[in-house]
């Protein structure tokens, strides 16, 4: 597993294990022993884990994993483990948020993860019309200076507000964004701005909730969906060209996957690692059944022919409107209507 240094004192695996699919709200966890699954990922080299305060039960689960991993592998092995959580204040809280509220949520994550200092906190803000987002980012930085957070980062902000945070004295280490072969919005402006300001991009959605996988090759357009994630990414497919376009992309990816001896999902994620400013891709996994393919992501190197075949299909795609997360921020729009905004249920 390839690794990358985001700072002289901070190194991560280039594949990050996502935790959203382990949240209780996502459905039953398809694993007999999720802690053992995490140990298998860590032992194989995927030593960075992504979670959030709003992923019900996941911070606690990772906290148990950390304790058990230290018992099994020792302090040196545990030191390689990095946990990236999120601070996601509820939509209802934004207009009256306070520093004490922010610190209370951070303290809660510290307890759940059984850490004395959070490795990296990714800040999300639902509504730019609520004016305290920059002050909130600065409060997180004050908590960094106080020793409760090692690295302050963000997720789903657009380019302009990312730059305002940096210029406002918030030393962003990374920005977690939806970035995939289907969604190239970060390539419009954010990637260049991130490079110029030392901000690494973490890509989620690289397999579009599973759509960018062999399961959907040659299948009829679905009408019913088993979870909100599939609805979210099907809307993206509709916007960029529809089901026939999507099938052409899957067919091209299958041919590339055949040459490399892997599956479509591995190619879809591997294609994102060479993109400008990208430091890591986040892969969701409910258990270790896809561990081998997740490990292969960082070892697959696309050839010029591979990239040309992908580019030939993507040249037929429609461009998604707006900057990063613009579509999703319209709560009355198709993309925003499916979001859940008050998962912390906290009061400022």
């Amino acid at each position: 597993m390839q690794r990358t240094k985001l700072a002289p004192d901070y190194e991560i695996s280039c594949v990050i294990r996502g935790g959203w699919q382990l949240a209780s709200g996502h459905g039953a966890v398809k694993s007999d022993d999720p802690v053992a699954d995490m140990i298998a990922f860590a032992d194989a080299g995927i030593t960075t884990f992504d979670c959030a305060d709003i992923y019900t039960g996941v911070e606690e689960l990772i906290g148990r994993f950390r304790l058990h991993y230290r018992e099994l592998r020792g302090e040196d092995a545990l030191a390689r483990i990095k946990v990236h959580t999120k601070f996601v204040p509820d939509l209802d809280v934004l207009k009256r948020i306070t520093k004490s509220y922010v610190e209370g949520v951070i303290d809660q994550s510290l307890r759940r993860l059984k850490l004395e200092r959070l490795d990296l906190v990714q800040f999300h803000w639902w509504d730019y019309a609520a004016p305290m987002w920059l002050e909130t980012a600065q409060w997180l930085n004050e908590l960094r200076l106080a020793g409760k957070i090692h690295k302050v980062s963000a997720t789903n902000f657009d380019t302009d507000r990312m730059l305002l945070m940096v210029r406002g004295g918030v030393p962003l280490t990374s920005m977690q964004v939806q970035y995939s072969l289907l969604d190239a919005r970060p390539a419009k402006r954010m990637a260049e701005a991130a490079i110029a300001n030392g901000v690494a991009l973490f890509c989620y959605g690289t397999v579009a909730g599973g759509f960018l996988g062999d399961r959907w090759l040659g299948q009829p357009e679905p009408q019913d969906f088993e979870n909100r994630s599939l609805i979210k990414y099907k809307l993206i497919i509709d916007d960029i060209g529809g089901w026939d376009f999507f099938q052409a992309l899957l067919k091209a990816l299958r041919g590339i996957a055949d040459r490399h001896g892997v599956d479509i999902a591995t190619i879809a994620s591997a294609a994102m690692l060479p993109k400008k400013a990208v430091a890591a891709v986040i892969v969701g996994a409910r258990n270790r059944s896809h561990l081998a393919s997740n490990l292969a992501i960082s070892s697959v190197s696309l050839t010029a022919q591979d990239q040309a075949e992908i580019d030939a299909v993507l040249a037929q795609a429609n461009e998604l409107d707006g900057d990063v997360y613009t579509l999703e921020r319209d709560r009355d729009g198709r993309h925003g209507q499916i979001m859940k905004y008050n998962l912390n249920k906290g009061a400022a």
Side-chain angles (χ1 to χ4, degrees):
M1 173 53 55
Q2 293 180 12
R3 301 179 65 79
T4 186
K5 280 194 173 184
L6 303 182
D9 61 348
Y10 203 81
E11 183 178 279
I12 64 169
S13 52
C14 289
V15 175
I16 298 172
R17 193 211 171 155
W20 182 63
Q21 291 186 331
L22 297 175
S24 61
H26 194 77
V29 176
K30 297 179 180 178
S31 174
D32 294 331
D33 191 343
V35 169
D37 289 336
M38 291 182 189
I39 291 170
F41 272 79
D43 284 348
I46 298 177
T47 58
T48 310
F49 295 80
D50 179 83
C51 61
D53 53 351
I54 60 171
Y55 296 175
T56 308
V58 179
E59 286 184 326
E60 294 93 333
L61 184 62
I62 294 176
R64 294 200 299 274
F65 151 70
R66 291 187 68 263
L67 289 181
H68 194 40
Y69 201 68
R70 180 171 58 193
E71 292 172 358
L72 292 174
R73 305 291 185 257
E75 290 288 349
D76 289 345
L78 183 64
R80 287 168 58 85
I81 303 298
K82 295 292 185 290
V83 180
H84 297 174
T85 193
K86 300 181 187 71
F87 170 67
V88 187
D90 287 350
L91 177 64
D92 291 345
V93 165
L94 302 187
K95 291 183 179 179
R96 59 183 189 276
I97 196 165
T98 63
K99 183 180 177 180
S100 63
Y101 171 84
V102 176
E103 187 165 13
V105 175
I106 294 302
D107 286 343
Q108 175 181 261
S109 292
L110 285 166
R111 291 191 298 270
R112 289 172 172 176
L113 289 165
K114 305 186 188 310
L115 284 164
E116 295 182 0
R117 181 180 67 174
L118 297 177
D119 294 329
L120 184 144
V121 175
Q122 301 166 113
F123 169 42
H124 176 78
W125 190 261
W126 288 114
D127 187 358
Y128 294 145
M132 295 293 290
W133 63 268
L134 182 55
E135 288 86 348
T136 301
Q138 290 167 338
W139 289 334
L140 287 169
N141 189 46
E142 290 174 13
L143 292 173
R144 179 188 69 85
L145 295 172
K148 291 192 175 186
I149 300 171
H150 190 191
K151 301 294 182 185
V152 174
S153 294
T155 180
N156 293 331
F157 280 86
D158 62 20
T159 305
D160 288 336
R161 287 169 179 84
M162 178 186 77
L163 293 174
L164 285 171
M165 279 190 275
V166 172
R167 293 164 185 165
V170 182
L172 293 179
T173 295
S174 61
M175 179 69 69
Q176 185 178 136
V177 292
Q178 183 172 297
Y179 196 8
S180 71
L181 294 176
L182 299 176
D183 184 354
R185 285 177 289 177
K188 292 182 181 180
R189 294 181 58 222
M190 181 170 283
E192 291 287 356
I195 291 172
N197 290 276
V199 179
L201 299 185
F202 300 156
C203 305
Y204 70 87
T206 59
V207 298
F211 271 121
L212 285 169
D214 289 280
R215 171 188 173 187
W216 292 100
L217 178 61
Q219 295 300 306
E221 185 170 3
Q223 303 301 319
D224 299 309
F225 304 94
E226 62 188 67
N227 57 55
R228 192 162 43 94
S229 178
L230 288 175
I231 298 172
K232 167 187 171 69
Y233 292 109
K234 178 56 166 59
L235 291 173
I236 296 291
I237 291 170
D238 294 343
D239 286 353
I240 68 167
W243 197 250
D244 289 342
F245 162 81
F246 176 63
Q247 285 297 314
L249 178 61
L250 286 183
K251 184 177 179 181
L253 293 177
R254 182 62 263 167
I256 296 166
D258 285 341
R259 292 198 290 269
H260 290 272
V262 296
D263 59 11
I264 287 176
T266 298
I267 295 297
S269 290
M272 303 313 297
L273 281 175
K275 302 289 186 184
K276 288 182 179 179
V278 170
V281 297
I282 302 167
V283 295
R286 293 194 182 190
N287 53 49
R288 75 191 88 170
S289 61
H290 296 291
L291 176 55
S293 58
N294 293 160
L295 289 170
I297 291 170
S298 73
S299 60
V300 170
S301 181
L302 298 186
T303 65
Q305 178 186 348
D306 297 335
Q307 193 60 57
E309 291 175 8
I310 294 172
D311 291 343
V313 179
L314 293 181
Q316 307 304 312
N318 301 321
E319 184 177 283
L320 293 176
D321 291 337
D323 203 326
V324 170
Y325 215 69
T326 298
L327 292 169
E328 294 81 354
R329 287 188 180 278
D330 179 3
R331 296 200 295 279
D332 296 322
R334 294 161 56 248
H335 297 265
Q337 286 178 349
I338 67 170
M339 298 293 172
K340 293 185 178 180
Y341 296 97
N342 294 295
L343 294 173
N344 260 320
K345 298 181 177 63

